[in-house]
Amino acid sequence: MTIPDVTARGLGVPGVPGLSGAGVTAVPGSTAVLPTVPANSASADPASADSAPADSAPPAAAPGAGALPQLQPPGFSPESARRDIPILHRTVNGHPLVWLDNGATTQKPRQVIEALGAYYGAANSNIHRGAHTMAREATQMYEAGRSAVAEFLGAGSPDDIVFVRGTTEAINLVAQSWGRANLGPGDDILVAVLEHHSDIVPWQLIAKETRARVVPIPLTPEGAIDQDAYADLLSSRTQLVAVSHASNVLGTVPPVKEMTALAHRYGAKVLVDGAQAVAHFPVDVQDLDADFYAFSGHKLFAPTGIGALYAKPEILRSMRPWQGGGNMIESVDFSRTTFAPVPHLLEAGTGHISGVVGLLAALNWFTSFDREAVAAYESALMTYAQQALSTVPGLEVLGSAPERIAVLTFTLAGQDPAGIADWLDRDGIAIRAGHHCAQPALAHYGLESAARASLALYNTSEEVDQLVTSLRRLQEAPEEVR
Ligand code: PLP
């Protein structure tokens, strides 16, 4: 798919998708904006990887993993993504960074970093108000971002997209606006047990207010959503089904399209949490027939603090404001206030304008790759990682649903998850440990905490080997050096 190139509309400064040609010049030095790294902990110079501390030898080839068939990237090379991402070339604790915490947040290509610098250097203005050139240009960029998101999600119109801080805010918006108007005593909200807390707690809060019920949809032992139980739970009381397009802890990709069709037979709406899905496989909200779809920019190579909510136009038009302020009104009077149409109605106050600029740059970057080839590469990398991890004594991966993204949550016999993360960090490998904001999903396996490696398009089989080597060394290490 192609994202509209705003530059072609006579708007773009080099480095800022959307700002040049309009009498604006490029920001001096905008191509050299890189994060500063403290000299004592890391270096942007790959050569300094040689200065590893004596007590943490650089990871050698993974025993066992080396015997695995080589990964054959079909039509996509992770190097083509890696070379755009400056942070992947730094070191951590004397080792080249291995970033396997993509489920928490993704790293940013220089196109995004430069777009932010160039926006603030040449294009900063508030939007939708003010009759000057800068305001008009910033508004055009912001709205170009909305068009890009609509196209990325397969929405029918940019007007179906509301900018929010992220998935959490999108779900709270739906709960507070749509939920407050449509939920009442005796109504059911079905929520899959694998949901992130941000797709559980907002429903609990609004259910308490409206005296509706939050009903968990159970999981199978494999970590899939139990489709028989789901069909049994649906009834005329069901007002909403909340389900992730991909689980952040089990990797499970539920059959969202089929689940949505079933929910619609009962007249229920479906909210899809796309936080983990959007960076892994193409999404088409109209094909899914989703009523709501939410995602966070920062899990999609864009800055933090920006995300989007899609809603079907007829539902969006029926929604009441959830926050009041500037931007969302037409006129204000102490006797009568009239409101702007959606999506502006749901965007009170000054939005995260630079965040949208960064999101637009991220979408342009990400969609420049062949998405099907990226998905195929990630799937091959996942298979490689599963095989490689199976060579680590005492390691067990949670979840084995048939459809999964490249998320590997695991336990290691005799090790606590925080200790595993700490050990790997000494080798420059970043994974996550804890409850992953999905306590019910972990409780399904009798766990309170686990370690998680989550992969992205820029990860490589060599990085998986380094993870496996380090974990094997941990299992062999005497107690006193752990
Ligand atoms: N939903 C899922 C599946 C997630 O993985 C996350 C974050 O990890 C969220 C929602 C919340 O996203 P954010 O914190 O960006 O709002």
Side-chain angles (χ1 to χ4, degrees), residues 103-105 165-171 194-199 244-249 273-277 294-299 305-306 436-437 452:
T105 200
R165 278 195 299 137
T167 310
T168 303
E169 189 170 72
I171 297 172
L194 51 64
E195 295 309 304
H196 189 277
H197 296 165
S198 64
D199 202 20
S244 277
H245 210 180
S247 156
N248 68 313
V249 68
D273 172 348
Q276 294 293 336
F295 77 88
S296 303
H298 72 98
K299 295 185 195 290
I306 186 68
H436 311 292
C437 296
R452 180 187 72 185

Side-chain angles (χ1 to χ4, degrees), residues 336-378:
R336 183 165 180 265
T337 289
T338 58
F339 296 102
V342 287
H344 310 291
L345 177 73
L346 300 168
E347 293 179 355
T350 299
H352 187 2
I353 306 163
S354 64
V356 173
V357 170
L359 178 58
L360 178 54
L363 290 176
N364 279 332
W365 178 78
F366 185 47
T367 57
S368 71
F369 299 106
D370 175 342
R371 299 287 310 284
E372 300 294 344
V374 167
Y377 169 69
E378 284 188 17

Side-chain angles (χ1 to χ4, degrees), residues 71 76-89 97-109 279-280 298-302 365-366 369 374 377-378 381 406 430 454-464:
L71 191 68
F76 169 77
S77 156
E79 285 311 318
S80 59
R82 291 183 76 78
R83 66 172 167 244
D84 283 337
I85 303 193
I87 211 168
L88 296 179
H89 304 282
L97 170 64
V98 175
W99 183 258
L100 301 178
D101 197 14
N102 296 288
T105 200
T106 52
Q107 297 301 353
K108 318 304 173 201
H280 295 289
H298 72 98
K299 295 185 195 290
L300 187 62
F301 319 106
W365 178 78
F366 185 47
F369 299 106
V374 167
Y377 169 69
E378 284 188 17
L381 187 61
S454 47
L455 311 176
L457 78 168
Y458 43 63
N459 290 123
T460 64
S461 56
E462 289 77 17
E463 289 180 315
V464 170

